[in-house]
Every structure is written in structure tokens, then in C-alpha cells.
Amino acid sequence: MRIIEGTPIVIVLQEPREKIWGVLREISSAGVFVRGLDINSFEDFVQAAIHDTPFYGIGDHFFPMWRIEKVTKDEPDGDIPSLEQQFEQRTELRITEFWQAI
């Protein structure tokens, strides 16, 4: 499985433990560049997109490899849609285009 630039991903971090959801910008032996947000802010992000209000929790981040526990594609799990699918179903916006615009 190859994860390429522009792919929606979930990053699990350690020390402190966090989960980040976003779009991959670059991955290298040094770390991961992602445009995203803490997964705990997902609902607020969706509501801001629906109501066309500002959301301040999204940004461009670099996480060094020593903090990364796991990087996975944001994919559906059985009947549960991916976060990307949930965002697009609820907002009728494509996440990659939306993030490029903000």
C-alpha cells in the first residue's frame, strides 16, 4: 500500500498521544507534512463548513518520525464511512478542494 500526496490520512502520534486527520502533503524519513486537524475537532470542523463560518483548528503541520506511531489511509471500516466520506456527505463539499480554498 502506497500513500501518495493528496491522500486523506489519519496519523496516530505518541508523546503525547494524538490523532490527526488530514491530507498528506509529503512523507519522508524525517517525518510527515500534513494539512489537517486534531481528530477531536472533526465535528466542529464539519459544522463550520456546513454553516460557512471560520474554523481555526486546521493547519499545515510537520510531525517527526519519532512521534509517529502509525499513518493510515482514511478508509471506510465495514459500514462506517471514512472521515472524508462523512465530511463530503454532510457538507456536499470535496475535502481536497475545500482545504485548498482555506
Side-chain angles (χ1 to χ4, degrees):
M1 169 179 83
R2 185 158 185 250
I3 301 175
I4 60 171
E5 182 180 330
T7 301
I9 60 171
V10 176
I11 304 173
V12 179
L13 302 168
Q14 56 189 350
E15 299 179 31
R17 187 155 176 89
E18 299 176 84
K19 288 185 180 180
I20 306 297
W21 173 67
V23 174
L24 178 66
R25 294 291 191 218
E26 182 181 337
I27 191 167
S28 72
S29 60
V32 174
F33 288 93
V34 63
R35 180 154 181 83
L37 60 119
D38 186 295
I39 208 163
N40 294 319
S41 301
F42 179 74
E43 186 60 34
D44 294 333
F45 175 64
V46 170
Q47 290 302 313
I50 289 170
H51 299 295
D52 196 24
T53 58
F55 180 81
Y56 300 104
I58 193 166
D60 293 311
H61 305 280
F62 171 77
F63 298 106
M65 278 300 179
W66 65 265
R67 279 211 61 210
I68 296 172
E69 183 177 315
K70 176 170 55 172
V71 177
T72 61
K73 285 184 178 181
D74 175 28
E75 298 180 310
D77 186 6
D79 292 339
I80 302 170
S82 69
L83 293 172
E84 176 188 25
Q85 290 170 330
Q86 291 177 47
F87 177 85
E88 292 179 355
Q89 289 169 358
R90 294 172 61 191
T91 65
E92 299 181 359
L93 300 166
R94 295 209 30 91
I95 191 62
T96 51
E97 294 168 7
F98 184 77
W99 274 351
Q100 289 175 358
I102 58 172

